[in-house]
């Protein structure tokens, strides 16, 4: 069985994924969504842009014939070419373990595992190797902005397999990140032992009968092709990872106390949790109320909510604000503003759109003009992005402090108000999850912030206006959803504080 750097990377993101990738029924995988495809395409385009400036060789071999791939790679190494793109390096895990470490003697049957390294680049450097007075170091070309652990572990993996093949250890490994001009040098002395431990753990996970337990984490699961399968299992088990606030660290702590069901967590005293790693007084109380809320399927006011008067405030005119951005272009291309006039019972939506990236400044100024028409109106938004972006745009376009500060003072973060004050019977406090729980539906069911990024890129490429229309509709619905959440929160607090008999 082949173990490659991708399996190692997936294992670091999710302990269950490599088991499913190796032993799962491939028919149960989700079809790749367009976002994942875009990420893959972006990575290929990025790698091509780097390779375009290099004179490199690539081994020629029949598809998936790894032995032939290795022979062709070795031939290029012997010739001493400067760069080899996607060379093939193989070593039996059994051999590798026996010479690298004694710590693995109790591990499973290694003979069936072969390490397959296929680095983005092998870069020739001066030194001594079995090929002559030169050697190679591995280099990975990654899209991320930071030299994350998983990237460095991957480079250490390539370096170790390469060491076997060229008869000497490379002194370093290279990581070329999209955001850095120069390559990042990976400290192999530091990362190789960590890589060995992770690799040994991975092999044990592959040997286990069922793989690691499901743990749904939006960030890592959303782009995974096993999501539907894992989510169905988590739902059927009422797994605690579906409870907002249960992180992997906190889950481990709860497991140690045998608090692995909603019922047990809901009836626990928060004082038992508050001194555990990953908890504090507030987290412990919130988590127990969160479990009660889901169990009883109703909203609860948290133990220490914001003062009711800060939440139940309703102004004659209110503004709801939402931004669509394209982070790769460092661009905020759509500023959506919903003006609600409660006195005249009217509302108007403004879609301030930069059809071209260079129009960002224009829509920024339109936004300021618009919100200044209602100088008393609070500006509601969901999460910190809108507040932070307005500060950033003001700086970028040198807007006078006197015209931005009063606007920022009117910002009210509905997410902040809600999450500090209530627990809802939902799986996430994303705007979509909350608004849907209230019965609000987006007109385009498949739309999401991430897809809007993709659609805006496609608009720039193709000029297809229907893409802009979907984005604008989605952004308007976001503003309306924020309004629904805010209205519900006001009403709920009024009922709980002022109408409920003492
Ligand atoms: S869906 Fe999540 S838990 Fe399941 S394999 Fe993928 S990342 Fe792991």
């Amino acid at each position: 069985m082949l173990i490659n750097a991708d399996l190692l990377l997936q294992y670091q993101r999710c302990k269950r994924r490599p088991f499913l990738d190796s032993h799962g029924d491939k028919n149960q995988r989700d079809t790749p969504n367009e976002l994942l495809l875009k990420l893959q395409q972006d990575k290929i385009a990025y790698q091509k842009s780097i390779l375009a400036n290099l004179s490199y060789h690539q081994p020629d071999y029949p598809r998936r014939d790894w032995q032939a791939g290795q022979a062709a790679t070795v031939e290029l190494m012997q010739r001493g070419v400067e760069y080899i793109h996607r060379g093939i390096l193989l070593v039996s895990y059994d051999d590798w373990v026996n010479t690298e470490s004694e710590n693995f003697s109790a591990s499973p049957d290694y003979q069936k595992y072969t390490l397959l390294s296929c680095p983005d680049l092998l870069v020739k450097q001066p030194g001594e190797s079995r090929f002559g007075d030169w050697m190679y170091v591995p280099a990975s070309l990654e899209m991320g902005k930071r030299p994350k652990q998983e990237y460095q572990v991957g480079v250490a993996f390539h370096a170790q397999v390469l060491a076997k093949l060229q008869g000497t250890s490379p002194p370093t490994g290279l990581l070329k990140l999209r955001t850095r001009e120069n390559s990042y040098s990976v400290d192999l002395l530091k990362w190789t032992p960590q890589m060995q431990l992770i690799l040994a753990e991975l092999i044990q996970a592959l040997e286990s009968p069922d793989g690691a337990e499901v743990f749904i984490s939006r960030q890592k699961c959303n782009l995974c092709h096993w999501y539907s399968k894992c989510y169905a299992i988590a739902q059927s088990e009422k797994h605690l990872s579906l409870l907002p606030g249960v992180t992997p660290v906190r889950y481990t702590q709860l497991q140690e106390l045998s608090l692995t069901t909603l019922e047990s967590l809901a009836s626990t005293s928060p004082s038992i949790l508050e001194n555990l790693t990953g908890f504090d007084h507030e987290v412990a109380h919130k988590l127990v109320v969160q479990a009660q809320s889901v169990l009883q399927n109703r909203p609860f006011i948290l133990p220490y909510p914001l003062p009711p008067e800060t939440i139940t405030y309703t102004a004659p005119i209110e503004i709801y604000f939402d931004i669509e951005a394209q982070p790769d272009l460092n661009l905020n291309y759509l500023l959506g503003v919903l003006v609600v006039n409660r006195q005249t019972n009217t509302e108007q939506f403004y879609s301030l759109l930069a059809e071209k990236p260079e129009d960002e400044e224009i829509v920024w100024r339109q936004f300021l003009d618009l919100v200044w028409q209602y100088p008393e109106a609070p500006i509601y938004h969901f999460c910190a992005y809108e507040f932070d972006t307005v500060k950033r745009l003001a700086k970028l376009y040198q807007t006078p402090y006197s015209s931005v500060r009063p606007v920022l003072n009117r910002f009210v973060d509905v997410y902040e108000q809600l999450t500090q004050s209530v627990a809802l019977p939902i799986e996430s406090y994303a705007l979509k999850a909350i608004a849907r729980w209230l019965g609000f539906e987006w007109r385009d069911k498949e739309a999401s912030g991430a897809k809007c990024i993709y659609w805006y890129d496609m608009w720039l490429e193709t000029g297809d206006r229907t893409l802009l229309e979907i984005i604008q509709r989605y952004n308007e619905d976001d503003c309306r959803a924020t309004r629904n959440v805010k209205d519900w929160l006001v009403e709920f607090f009024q009922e709980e504080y002022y109408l409920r008999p003492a």
Side-chain angles (χ1 to χ4, degrees):
M1 183 177 170
L2 292 171
I3 305 241
N4 59 20
D6 187 52
L7 222 48
L8 204 58
L9 180 134
Q10 296 301 351
Y11 181 74
Q12 291 171 85
R13 292 180 178 165
C14 168
K15 306 236 174 308
R16 180 175 166 80
R17 167 90 184 251
F19 179 87
L20 289 178
D21 281 345
S22 304
H23 306 303
D25 176 356
K26 295 206 172 7
N27 296 323
Q28 293 184 357
R29 292 191 312 196
D30 298 332
T31 45
N33 63 42
E34 50 192 346
L35 274 182
L36 189 61
L37 293 174
K38 177 171 185 327
L39 287 175
Q40 288 164 349
Q41 283 164 3
D42 287 352
K43 184 165 180 183
I44 292 168
Y46 162 67
Q47 295 195 339
K48 276 190 178 160
S49 72
I50 303 279
L51 294 170
N53 299 317
L54 302 176
S55 167
Y56 68 91
H57 291 71
Q58 194 161 359
D60 185 17
Y61 59 96
R63 197 173 132 73
R64 303 186 79 80
D65 183 345
W66 307 119
Q67 294 295 344
Q70 169 156 272
T73 305
V74 169
E75 204 259 319
L76 292 171
M77 293 167 96
Q78 277 165 340
R79 274 169 47 197
V81 302
E82 291 297 321
Y83 297 100
I84 302 172
H85 175 46
R86 301 197 72 75
I88 297 295
L89 311 169
L90 293 168
V91 62
S92 126
Y93 186 56
D94 200 25
D95 285 353
W96 191 74
V97 165
N98 288 334
T99 49
E100 292 298 333
S101 166
E102 298 136 18
N103 296 337
F104 303 115
S105 53
S107 299
D109 168 21
Y110 297 135
Q111 283 165 4
K112 63 182 178 208
Y113 294 105
T114 298
L115 306 184
L116 166 65
S117 158
C118 181
D120 293 326
L121 279 175
L122 290 168
V123 182
K124 186 182 176 190
Q125 300 226 327
E128 289 299 318
S129 73
R130 61 174 266 229
F131 304 119
D133 60 354
W134 68 89
M135 64 159 75
Y136 287 87
V137 299
S140 291
L141 312 177
E142 298 291 355
M143 289 284 285
K145 294 181 181 162
R146 292 177 302 105
K148 297 178 194 164
Q149 158 171 326
E150 58 237 46
Y151 295 158
Q152 304 206 52
V153 165
V155 172
F157 173 82
H158 296 309
Q160 282 282 285
V161 181
L162 173 64
K164 282 269 164 218
L165 221 86
Q166 67 180 3
T168 189
S169 297
T172 185
L174 302 172
L175 195 49
K176 181 83 188 78
L177 298 169
R178 192 174 44 132
T179 48
R180 291 197 187 200
E181 189 60 34
N182 297 320
S183 294
Y184 180 90
S185 177
V186 175
D187 179 352
L188 295 176
L189 283 179
K190 175 179 169 193
W191 288 103
T192 303
Q194 297 217 35
M195 179 275 292
Q196 289 171 338
L197 287 175
I198 294 168
L199 185 57
E201 265 185 37
L202 163 62
I203 302 247
Q204 284 189 353
L206 292 174
E207 289 284 315
S208 71
D210 304 313
E213 182 182 349
V214 163
F215 191 98
I216 297 295
S217 140
R218 307 267 150 207
Q219 236 186 353
K220 69 172 199 234
C221 297
N222 275 352
L223 285 177
C224 176
H225 50 218
W226 297 106
Y227 180 71
S228 301
K229 179 183 167 78
C230 291
Y231 182 69
I233 294 173
Q235 265 207 322
S236 70
E237 291 177 354
K238 294 194 188 140
H239 195 272
L240 282 189
S241 60
L242 297 178
L243 196 69
V246 176
T247 60
V249 171
R250 290 178 191 155
Y251 185 60
T252 309
Q253 303 283 326
L254 295 174
Q255 277 177 312
E256 281 172 17
L257 295 173
S258 300
L259 297 173
T260 53
T261 62
L262 265 183
E263 290 78 2
S264 57
L265 184 55
S267 57
T268 299
S269 162
S271 60
I272 296 176
L273 306 178
E274 61 188 30
N275 293 322
L276 301 175
T277 310
F279 287 83
D280 59 23
H281 181 77
E282 195 186 331
V283 168
H285 280 76
K286 257 187 169 178
L287 201 60
V288 170
V289 176
Q290 180 64 57
Q292 292 166 349
S293 167
V294 173
L295 197 63
Q296 296 182 33
N297 194 23
R298 68 178 180 89
F300 274 66
I301 291 199
L302 289 170
Y304 309 103
L306 293 175
E309 60 279 9
T310 59
I311 291 182
T312 53
Y313 175 72
T314 299
I317 296 179
E318 294 177 344
I319 289 174
Y320 293 86
F321 176 40
D322 186 71
I323 296 178
E324 302 306 326
Q326 172 25 303
D328 286 346
L329 300 176
N330 202 12
L331 172 72
N332 295 285
Y333 63 88
L334 175 56
L335 309 184
V337 178
L338 174 68
V339 179
V340 175
N341 188 328
R342 293 184 187 275
Q343 287 170 324
T344 57
N345 212 12
T346 55
E347 54 186 55
Q348 171 92 40
F349 181 69
Y350 299 86
S351 184
L352 311 175
L353 174 70
E355 292 192 4
K356 307 187 289 297
E358 49 278 27
D359 289 347
E360 185 188 62
E361 182 173 357
I362 297 173
V363 298
W364 160 241
R365 301 211 179 280
Q366 288 172 343
F367 168 77
L368 274 186
D369 290 347
L370 178 58
V371 295
W372 269 107
Q373 285 178 37
Y374 309 97
E376 305 294 325
I379 301 172
Y380 293 101
H381 58 104
F382 197 87
C383 289
Y385 185 79
E386 278 67 22
F387 184 87
D388 294 344
T389 301
V390 163
K391 277 207 293 194
R392 220 171 31 244
L393 291 175
K395 199 167 167 200
L396 179 67
Y397 296 117
Q398 297 169 357
T399 314
Y401 184 77
S402 56
S403 58
V404 178
R405 182 41 59 187
V407 170
L408 283 170
N409 286 343
R410 288 154 52 197
F411 272 48
V412 181
D413 187 344
V414 177
Y415 170 82
E416 203 60 33
Q417 287 199 330
L418 183 122
T419 53
Q420 286 189 30
S421 306
V422 295
L424 304 179
I426 52 178
E427 290 176 5
S428 134
Y429 284 89
L431 177 60
K432 270 224 170 96
I434 302 170
R436 280 191 173 142
W437 175 73
L438 295 173
F440 183 89
E441 281 300 332
W442 273 253
R443 281 169 285 178
D444 298 290
K445 301 269 180 283
E446 296 304 312
S448 68
K451 281 197 178 152
C452 286
I453 295 173
Y454 171 68
W455 289 328
Y456 187 74
D457 277 354
M458 295 303 291
W459 148 252
L460 292 179
E461 257 177 67
T462 63
D464 179 355
R465 294 204 84 81
T466 54
L467 295 166
L468 283 187
E469 285 159 17
I470 304 176
I471 297 172
Q472 286 175 297
R473 234 179 1 250
Y474 174 73
N475 175 258
E476 179 178 347
D477 286 350
D478 270 359
C479 289
R480 293 187 184 283
T482 306
R483 181 194 173 180
N484 270 34
V485 175
K486 187 261 173 188
D487 285 352
W488 175 84
L489 191 60
V490 169
E491 211 175 298
F492 180 66
F493 254 68
Q494 277 170 346
E495 275 173 18
E496 289 292 309
Y497 270 91
Y498 305 122
L499 299 180
R500 187 165 281 198

